Amino acid sequence: MVRVTPGPGHAPSGPEPAPDTRSAHDIQSEDDDDSLKAFGYKPELKRTLGNFHTFAAGISYISILTGTFQLFYFGVKFAGPGYWWSWPMVFLGQLMVALCFCELAASYPVAGSIYNWSKKLGGPHIGWLGGWMMVTATMVSLAAVALAYQITLPQISGVFQLVGTGRGPTDAAENAVLLGSVLIVFTTLVNAFGVKLMATINSAGVMVELIAAIVLIGLLAAHITRGPGAIVTTDGFGAGQPLGYVGAFLTASLASAYVMYGFDTASSLGEESLNPRRNAPRAILRALIASFLIGGLILLFALLSVPDLHNKALSVDGLQYVVLSTLGSAVGQSVLWCVVVAITVCALAVHAAGIRLAFAMARDNCLPASSLVARVSPRFGTPVVPAIFIGLVAICILVINIDQPQIFSVITSIAIIMIYVAYLMVTLPMLVRRLRGTWKPAEGHFSLGRFGLPVNVLAVLWGAAMSLNLAWPRHEVYNAAPPYHWYLRWGAFLFVGIVAVGGFTYYWFVQRTRTGTLEAHRSPAEEPEPPATAP
């Protein structure tokens, strides 16, 4: 019998392979899931988020309208119009951090970005501590964002002052707790019903916020009454400060530092995003840059257009006063309604980020009742238990504000410090890896190249310097009104120290022997190839 070998013009015998009928969406999802399996996790969350969804998550967490309207009064109070320069200063520092995060987002597209990144770079001990501090800070941040309703809604209409008249000693605080609790219940329900609903509402809210911010910039620009020289004068601010105006400026810079963080949320949704290695780094940078440009212009034109720079209302009511006095009641209230939308989607994004962080830690058995916390609802495709738990804790934190507003302001400030410290637990181990030559960005994806080392050094120096500035025991920040207590003034060092030392002690003596990916969430090991047999 003669065996015929197919030549180049002949098709090989045998059945033809079945055509690939998968859509481009399915192929991309499978590729993304393969990258997740490489970290030992089984894909469980639904990949439904596109490029704009991840961008919207990052920019809504930063939430320019929320942060500027909530904290403008603070910056102006201490440094006057010159406070504006803290905005580009904080942006440049956070840009160094964001660039490092972009490399990590391209390399490790997993949920709970800060926890998983610090774990990969610094080991399980650093990872647990970074995640622990970030989870704690996120719950307090959610409560702090919810309080912003009280700053805006009663200025729109007295109808929203549901408790008392607003003139009683505790009316505002009690009303803030009520309004904030309603907001947190809303974010809990939306996040529990799935990431698609959250992303849809969040994206719509971000569109409203961006359009409103651009319109606001145009309206304020049309009412400019003074030149840019107004933001370069010290105008007597800083008197009595140990460092003069520099000390006042450093205090005022907290108003910018409190706003420009949370851009990592775009990467924390990596397991629910399409092509996160490409989209997450872009979303991080776009969110931060857009926030800087829009926020910077709002602050600048507000200072140049307000009728009276010396009016005490400027350092009490802040941007709300600027908008109402400059644009009039009708236009001003329309803008304030957009601020309410911004506050809502900001709280939604903060809550969503906290859920992914808790899920990521619980999946590694790093939290109490981890199997329950990490369980993904088969109906909604999202972890429901952490959504409810984080919401309940945030409401409990709100209640502290009723009779102890100073303590709440201390805790809120400390939450921001803990986030900056958690960022340091990523950038510092990353710098160590660079110096040792063991850090390699994902091939074919975002890379800083030869600029990686200097950018990383600047990110670490910035994070350490701003953390110290945030924690500095200023009575204006941590004990602004009597009664004065030393433990409030030193609250940042005390609280962060207790959380860090206590958390690390708990991990070392209790948690470290339990840590490990839960069986239900572990990626199945591939079957080994059979050994080759001799012919």
Side-chain angles (χ1 to χ4, degrees):
M1 183 177 65
V2 179
R3 178 174 295 173
V4 179
T5 302
H10 298 79
S13 59
E16 294 185 3
D20 191 344
T21 59
R22 296 175 299 167
S23 67
H25 178 281
D26 293 334
I27 294 173
Q28 183 62 62
S29 295
E30 290 183 17
D31 290 342
D32 296 337
D33 288 343
D34 287 341
S35 67
L36 178 62
K37 292 175 184 177
F39 301 117
Y41 298 133
K42 179 173 66 176
E44 297 176 88
L45 304 176
K46 295 180 180 179
R47 291 193 182 275
T48 57
L49 304 183
N51 196 17
F52 184 78
H53 291 127
T54 52
F55 162 75
I59 201 168
S60 61
Y61 196 122
I62 299 172
S63 190
I64 290 306
L65 290 185
T66 301
T68 54
F69 273 80
Q70 193 173 15
L71 293 163
F72 177 83
Y73 82 95
F74 183 90
V76 173
K77 178 181 178 180
F78 289 101
Y83 133 76
W84 183 87
W85 293 100
S86 69
W87 191 257
M89 180 189 77
V90 171
F91 165 71
L92 291 174
Q94 292 295 74
L95 179 62
M96 300 300 103
V97 177
L99 288 170
C100 293
F101 283 7
C102 287
E103 278 196 338
L104 290 163
S107 300
Y108 306 135
V110 291
S113 49
I114 296 298
Y115 162 70
N116 273 305
W117 294 346
S118 55
K119 180 183 70 175
K120 287 286 185 180
L121 296 169
H125 302 75
I126 300 299
W128 190 89
L129 187 57
W132 159 248
M133 297 188 75
M134 197 72 181
V135 165
T136 305
T138 299
M139 291 187 290
V140 180
S141 294
L142 177 58
V145 171
L147 279 179
Y149 262 5
Q150 177 64 25
I151 299 175
T152 304
L153 282 174
Q155 293 205 41
I156 295 175
S157 172
V159 173
F160 295 106
Q161 184 62 45
L162 304 173
V163 179
T165 63
R167 297 186 180 90
T170 61
D171 286 358
E174 292 176 5
N175 200 65
V177 170
L178 181 58
L179 294 177
S181 298
V182 171
L183 175 56
I184 292 173
V185 169
F186 171 75
T187 62
T188 301
L189 291 174
V190 171
N191 275 294
F193 276 105
V195 69
K196 187 63 176 179
L197 176 61
M198 184 279 295
T200 301
I201 296 174
N202 192 62
S203 297
V206 165
M207 286 300 297
V208 171
E209 181 176 5
L210 291 176
I211 292 171
I214 292 171
V215 170
L216 178 59
I217 290 170
L219 291 173
L220 291 174
H223 289 79
I224 288 178
T225 59
R226 60 185 61 85
I231 63 171
V232 296
T233 58
T234 59
D235 202 21
F237 289 92
Q241 289 278 352
L243 298 177
Y245 188 78
V246 173
F249 179 81
L250 290 176
T251 302
S253 69
L254 271 59
S256 298
Y258 282 4
V259 178
M260 226 176 294
Y261 69 95
F263 39 81
D264 57 292
T265 305
S267 57
S268 197
L269 297 170
E271 293 182 32
E272 295 152 280
S273 305
L274 293 171
N275 200 0
R277 290 184 186 272
R278 179 178 68 91
N279 289 336
R282 294 181 179 182
I284 290 172
L285 287 180
R286 287 171 180 169
L288 182 61
I289 294 172
S291 298
F292 162 68
L293 293 175
I294 294 172
L297 290 175
I298 289 175
L299 295 176
L300 176 62
F301 292 149
L303 291 167
L304 300 184
S305 64
V306 65
D308 183 4
L309 270 176
H310 302 283
N311 193 309
K312 290 184 179 180
L314 194 63
S315 58
V316 176
D317 297 326
L319 270 180
Q320 286 86 341
Y321 161 75
V322 176
V323 168
L324 293 174
S325 63
T326 303
L327 306 181
S329 178
V331 177
Q333 287 195 2
S334 299
V335 172
L336 294 184
W337 272 117
C338 294
V339 174
V340 172
V341 173
I343 294 168
T344 303
V345 295
C346 179
L348 202 59
V350 172
H351 203 154
I355 293 168
R356 273 71 195 169
L357 188 61
F359 166 76
M361 294 187 70
R363 183 170 55 183
D364 281 350
N365 199 28
C366 285
L367 295 175
S370 284
S371 59
L372 186 62
V373 175
R375 183 176 180 271
V376 177
S377 168
R379 180 178 178 183
F380 303 119
T382 193
V384 175
V385 171
I388 297 172
F389 178 76
I390 290 172
L392 288 174
V393 172
I395 291 175
C396 290
I397 293 171
L398 274 180
V399 176
I400 300 175
N401 191 52
I402 293 178
D403 295 319
Q404 299 291 341
Q406 282 204 94
I407 292 178
F408 185 82
S409 66
V410 170
I411 293 176
T412 303
S413 300
I414 289 169
I416 310 302
I417 298 168
M418 290 171 66
I419 291 174
Y420 274 76
V421 172
Y423 283 3
L424 263 177
M425 291 185 180
V426 174
T427 56
L428 183 56
M430 188 181 194
L431 177 59
V432 172
R433 293 277 295 270
R434 285 188 194 277
L435 293 174
R436 291 176 176 174
T438 58
W439 167 250
K440 301 294 180 185
E443 188 175 350
H445 294 283
F446 186 94
S447 173
L448 293 172
R450 59 192 177 91
F451 297 104
L453 181 59
V455 166
N456 205 158
V457 169
L458 291 173
V460 171
L461 293 176
W462 162 256
M466 183 49 73
S467 296
L468 182 61
N469 185 38
L470 287 165
W472 200 255
R474 302 177 177 92
H475 70 83
E476 302 95 337
V477 178
Y478 294 104
N479 204 174
Y484 298 107
H485 301 290
W486 69 269
Y487 53 83
L488 287 179
R489 188 166 179 175
W490 290 89
F493 290 98
L494 291 173
F495 191 86
V496 174
I498 290 171
V499 171
V501 174
F504 194 83
T505 301
Y506 169 79
Y507 178 86
W508 184 261
F509 290 103
V510 178
Q511 186 60 50
R512 68 189 178 101
T513 57
R514 303 175 183 175
T515 298
T517 306
L518 296 173
E519 184 64 33
H521 304 272
R522 188 178 302 157
S523 176
E526 295 182 2
E527 293 292 330
E529 295 183 3
T533 56

